[in-house]
Amino acid sequence: MLSVVRVHLPSDIPIVGCELTPYVLLRRPDKTVTTDDVPESAPLDGHFLRYKWYRIQSDRKVAVCSVHPSEQATLQCLGCVKSKIPVAKSYHCSPKCFSDAWQHHRVLHDRAASAINENGNEEEELFGRFNSSGSGVINTSLSGPASSASLTNGSAPLYPAAVTQRSGGETWFEVGHSKTYTPSADDIGHVLKFECVVVDAETKLPVGHVNTILTSRVIPAPSPTPRRLIPVSGVDVIRHLDSDGRISSSGTFTVLSYNILSDVYATSETYSYCPSWALSWPYRRQNLLREIVGYRADIVCLQEVQSDHYEEFFAPELDKHGLRWKYPYYDGCATFFRRDRFSHVKKYEVEFNKAAQSLTEAVVPSAQRKTALNRLVKDNVALIVVLEAKFSNQGADNVGKRQLLCVANTHVNVHDLKDVKLWQVLTLLKGLEKIAASADIPMLVCGDFNSVPGSAPHALLAMGKVDPLHPDLVVDPLGILRPHSKLTHQLPLVSAYSSFVRLGVGLGLEQQRRRMDPATNEPLFTNCTRDFIGTLDYVFYTADTLTVESLLELLDEESLRKDTALPSPEWSSDHIALLAEFRCKSRPRR
C-alpha cells in the first residue's frame, strides 16, 4: 500500500509571499520510493495523498523583530508609529537590537522628514507624516500580557469563517488544501501546520498515520527602503514613479543592469553572515522579482541567471509584467524588454569560446594551444540585441525616422586572469564597432565586468584605450594583448553613473556624490561582501547619441545593516542594481 516515509520543509522559517513546498518521500506498493505526487485525480493502487495547511492562532498575538525576523519583538519605536512608517519596521527584539540598528533605522526617520519637506504629501503612502518629537523613542511594553492583545502586525486579521479546531488557547484555521502554500500577511506571527495523509480513493477516509510539520512563526518579507531616481539633467526635482510605476516622460526609457547572484553560488559557506532562510532560492527569487518589477524598467539586463530559473521562473513571471523574453537565456545573461515600448530587430552573440579558438589558431604555437585554451575558454558570452522604439523621441529632426537602440549585456566571469578579462572586453567592443559601422545607432553596454575602476578593462571602456604602461598588461603569457596599440576602440562610451559627479547640482546630488569615488567618477561599490567591497558593474552609453536624464540612487553604508553585507534579508544579491533613464539625442539629417 502507498505510505509516507518522511516529510520535511527545506526551511523552517516561513516568509510572506514565499511558496512553501514540503519534501514528501513516498513508498509505493512495489516498495520503491519516490517524491512524485499522487493526487486524487490519479490514484495509485486505490489511494492518493491529501494535504492540508493550518494557521495556528494563539489568543496572544505576537509581533516580530524587524532586524531579526525570527525573533519575537519586545519593544516598538514610537517615532515610527508617529511618522506612520510601516509598522513592521518599528519592532525590535531587545534594547541592544534597537541600539545596534539605530544608524540604519534613523534613515527611515530622516526619509520620512525629507519626504514632507520636499514633496508635501507625495510620499505619504510610503512613510506618512513625520513628527520629529518621536524620533528615537521606544515603547518597551510589547512583552507585557496587557499590551499584547493590541498588536495586529499592521493589518486586521482576516481568517476563514470556519474554525477547524480549538485547543489550549489556540485556534486552528484551515488555510490551504494543496501540497504548496504561500503565506500571506494574515499569517504573520503565527505558526503554520502541514498535514499529509494517505486516503482511500473509494471511501475518501484516511488510511494510516497522519504526518505533520509545525513551522516557526511566519515573518514578513523584509523590505528595504525604496531607492529613488535622482535627476542629473538639470531638472531640480527628485523623480518618482507614476501611479503605474513608470517614469512619466514618454520620450525617455530606462535600462536596468543587475547581477542577481546565481543560486549555485549563494551558499552559507560563502555568505555565512546571511541567514540561511534569506539565502534559499524560494525566498530570494520572490524578493528579486519584487525588486526587479518595482523598478519598472523598459529594458532589463540580468546576469548570473541559471537556465532552469530563467525558463521556469523569470521568463514567465516577467512576461506577466509586460517584459518580453524573446531572447533566449545565454550563459547566465538574460535580456528583457517592455513589449509596449520596444520591438525586436536583431540579436547577436559574442561567443568568447569561439573567439578564443580562432585566436589560439592564429597566434599560439600548436604545442601550446591546449594550455592557451584552458586559460581563455571560460564558457561566457556577451548578448547583443537591437531594438526599435515604439515611442516618439519628440524631436523635429526625428519625425518618421526609426529609432533603433543597441544593448549589450555581458558577464565577464573571469576573476584572476587580468589578460583574459581585458581580451574579452576588447572582443566585445570590436563586435560593437562593427555594428556601429553599419548603422547610426545609440549603444548601451551593461553588465558585471568583474573589473574595478582604474583597471585595464575599465580604462578601455571609459577612455577608449589602455596606457601601454598599465600594470594589468604585465602578465600576458599568451601574448594576446600585443601589440598594445591595438587596445583601443572608437565608441564614445561614458559611464552613466559618472553623471552624478560631472553634471550640475540638484536635490539629492550632493548625497550621491558622497557615494562616488572622485578619483574614478564611479560608485564606491556595486558589490559588497565581507571579503570585498568595490565596483564591478557598469552601464556605459554612447554620449554622442544618448543623454542621461536620471539615475537610481546608490546605496551607502547606512543603507546596509550594521555588521553585515550583501546578500541580506532585504537585498537578495551581493551586487546592487543599476538603473539609468536615457533620452536619445536629436540627430541632424544626413
Side-chain angles (χ1 to χ4, degrees):
M1 188 183 79
L2 184 69
S3 61
V4 178
V5 178
R6 188 159 65 100
V7 178
H8 78 90
L9 283 168
S11 174
D12 292 332
I13 300 179
I15 303 142
V16 170
C18 295
E19 183 179 83
L20 294 171
T21 304
Y23 175 88
V24 180
L25 185 65
L26 304 175
R27 180 173 285 114
R28 295 172 176 268
D30 61 3
K31 305 303 181 182
T32 61
V33 294
T34 180
T35 57
D36 294 339
D37 195 12
V38 183
E40 185 175 3
S41 59
L44 181 63
D45 196 28
H47 296 85
F48 65 91
L49 291 179
R50 177 183 292 163
Y51 307 105
K52 287 188 178 181
W53 286 90
Y54 299 92
R55 177 195 301 125
I56 302 178
Q57 181 188 353
S58 172
D59 290 346
R60 181 177 180 273
K61 296 181 175 66
V62 175
V64 295
C65 176
S66 62
V67 178
H68 308 99
S70 59
E71 300 293 329
Q72 182 177 333
T74 62
L75 58 87
Q76 185 177 28
C77 173
L78 293 182
C80 290
V81 175
K82 293 180 179 179
S83 304
K84 296 184 181 178
I85 290 170
V87 68
K89 295 181 181 291
S90 68
Y91 297 127
H92 296 269
C93 57
S94 69
K96 184 179 186 301
C97 167
F98 182 78
S99 175
D100 288 347
W102 175 243
Q103 287 298 106
H104 169 81
H105 188 83
R106 183 178 60 186
V107 175
L108 299 178
H109 293 232
D110 295 342
R111 280 278 180 89
S114 63
I116 296 303
N117 292 336
E118 295 173 4
N119 303 307
N121 295 332
E122 187 170 339
E123 292 193 10
E124 196 164 48
E125 183 179 349
L126 284 178
F127 296 120
R129 294 189 176 277
F130 182 78
N131 184 336
S132 60
S133 63
S135 178
V137 179
I138 58 176
N139 173 11
T140 58
S141 64
L142 298 190
S143 58
S147 63
S148 62
S150 66
L151 296 179
T152 61
N153 296 306
S155 63
L158 300 172
Y159 300 117
V163 176
T164 303
Q165 185 175 344
R166 181 171 176 82
S167 174
E170 293 182 342
T171 306
W172 295 7
F173 296 95
E174 184 178 336
V175 293
H177 53 269
S178 63
K179 186 176 181 180
T180 61
Y181 177 69
T182 302
S184 69
D186 297 328
D187 297 319
I188 293 175
H190 302 298
V191 171
L192 299 176
K193 179 181 179 180
F194 172 72
E195 284 188 354
C196 173
V197 65
V198 176
V199 175
D200 186 291
E202 184 176 346
T203 66
K204 309 300 184 192
L205 296 176
V207 178
H209 175 66
V210 178
N211 295 267
T212 63
I213 303 175
L214 289 178
T215 71
S216 58
R217 297 185 186 276
V218 176
I219 65 174
S223 57
T225 303
R227 295 170 66 188
R228 298 173 295 179
L229 282 165
I230 308 297
V232 294
S233 59
V235 180
D236 208 25
V237 178
I238 291 180
R239 301 289 292 277
H240 295 276
L241 303 178
D242 63 19
S243 59
D244 189 36
R246 188 173 307 170
I247 301 299
S248 57
S249 177
S250 61
T252 65
F253 63 92
T254 53
V255 178
L256 173 73
S257 183
Y258 197 6
N259 181 327
I260 62 172
L261 179 60
S262 173
D263 185 43
V264 297
Y265 301 139
T267 65
S268 294
E269 290 76 21
T270 303
Y271 304 106
S272 58
Y273 49 83
C274 184
S276 58
W277 58 265
L279 282 176
S280 69
W281 181 242
Y283 172 74
R284 290 182 59 240
R285 71 177 187 177
Q286 293 295 339
N287 205 33
L288 287 165
L289 181 66
R290 276 193 297 268
E291 182 184 1
I292 293 167
V293 169
Y295 293 136
R296 292 289 293 176
D298 297 309
I299 301 168
V300 175
C301 297
L302 302 181
Q303 301 90 41
E304 287 198 22
V305 184
Q306 292 179 206
S307 58
D308 55 335
H309 295 165
Y310 171 82
E311 294 165 0
E312 299 170 8
F313 184 71
F314 284 110
E317 289 298 324
L318 290 177
D319 181 61
K320 295 176 184 177
H321 295 276
L323 285 161
R324 190 176 181 184
W325 76 99
K326 176 165 185 172
Y327 305 116
Y329 156 95
Y330 214 111
D331 184 60
C333 293
T335 300
F336 301 81
F337 63 90
R338 196 166 294 284
R339 53 178 173 259
D340 63 342
R341 305 214 77 203
F342 290 96
S343 59
H344 158 247
V345 176
K346 201 165 186 178
K347 173 174 67 74
Y348 306 87
E349 295 101 21
V350 179
E351 299 186 49
F352 296 121
N353 283 1
K354 288 185 178 180
Q357 291 171 349
S358 300
L359 178 67
T360 54
E361 290 174 1
V363 303
V364 178
S366 57
Q368 301 175 17
R369 286 177 185 170
K370 184 176 180 180
T371 301
L373 287 174
N374 286 338
R375 186 176 183 87
L376 291 173
V377 172
K378 301 301 174 186
D379 295 325
N380 60 318
V381 302
L383 181 61
I384 302 173
V385 299
V386 177
L387 305 174
E388 180 177 355
K390 293 183 177 181
F391 53 89
S392 170
N393 196 37
Q394 299 177 332
D397 294 324
N398 293 294
V399 175
K401 182 180 178 181
R402 296 176 71 192
Q403 180 60 68
L404 299 179
L405 179 69
C406 179
V407 183
N409 178 14
T410 191
H411 183 198
V412 180
N413 195 14
V414 185
H415 292 280
D416 299 323
L417 307 179
K418 296 179 180 180
D419 56 322
V420 180
K421 277 196 280 193
L422 180 55
W423 170 76
Q424 287 194 356
V425 172
L426 178 65
T427 302
L428 168 60
L429 292 171
K430 291 303 180 183
L432 290 172
E433 278 189 321
K434 291 180 181 179
I435 297 174
S438 63
D440 183 15
I441 182 171
M443 289 189 168
L444 294 165
V445 185
C446 309
D448 174 4
F449 291 84
N450 266 304
S451 303
V452 299
S455 64
H458 179 265
L460 182 60
L461 285 159
M463 307 300 293
K465 61 182 180 179
V466 181
D467 188 323
L469 299 179
H470 197 290
D472 285 1
L473 303 183
V474 172
V475 178
D476 183 17
L478 303 177
I480 58 175
L481 305 179
R482 294 190 287 269
H484 295 160
S485 59
K486 75 177 183 180
L487 301 177
T488 64
H489 69 88
Q490 301 302 314
L491 301 172
L493 294 178
V494 175
S495 174
Y497 271 79
S498 68
S499 300
F500 273 149
V501 177
R502 295 184 297 103
L503 301 177
V505 294
L507 293 173
L509 276 179
E510 279 305 314
Q511 184 183 54
Q512 296 307 307
R513 287 194 180 102
R514 291 194 293 271
R515 301 172 186 180
M516 300 285 291
D517 181 352
T520 63
N521 285 356
E522 295 289 1
L524 291 173
F525 69 87
T526 64
N527 179 256
C528 178
T529 69
R530 282 279 174 85
D531 301 320
F532 174 83
I533 181 167
T535 292
L536 303 174
D537 310 84
Y538 307 92
V539 175
F540 284 94
Y541 68 99
T542 46
D544 62 333
T545 56
L546 295 168
T547 58
V548 180
E549 295 286 309
S550 59
L551 295 165
L552 188 66
E553 68 179 330
L554 296 167
L555 298 181
D556 63 3
E557 293 179 0
E558 287 190 351
S559 300
L560 304 175
R561 294 200 186 282
K562 183 180 179 181
D563 298 329
T564 191
L566 300 177
S568 68
E570 293 82 8
W571 306 100
S572 287
S573 175
D574 55 346
H575 293 251
I576 66 170
L578 300 180
L579 182 143
E581 179 192 12
F582 293 98
R583 184 185 298 276
C584 293
K585 288 184 176 179
S586 297
R587 304 295 295 274
R589 293 180 182 272
R590 291 186 174 181

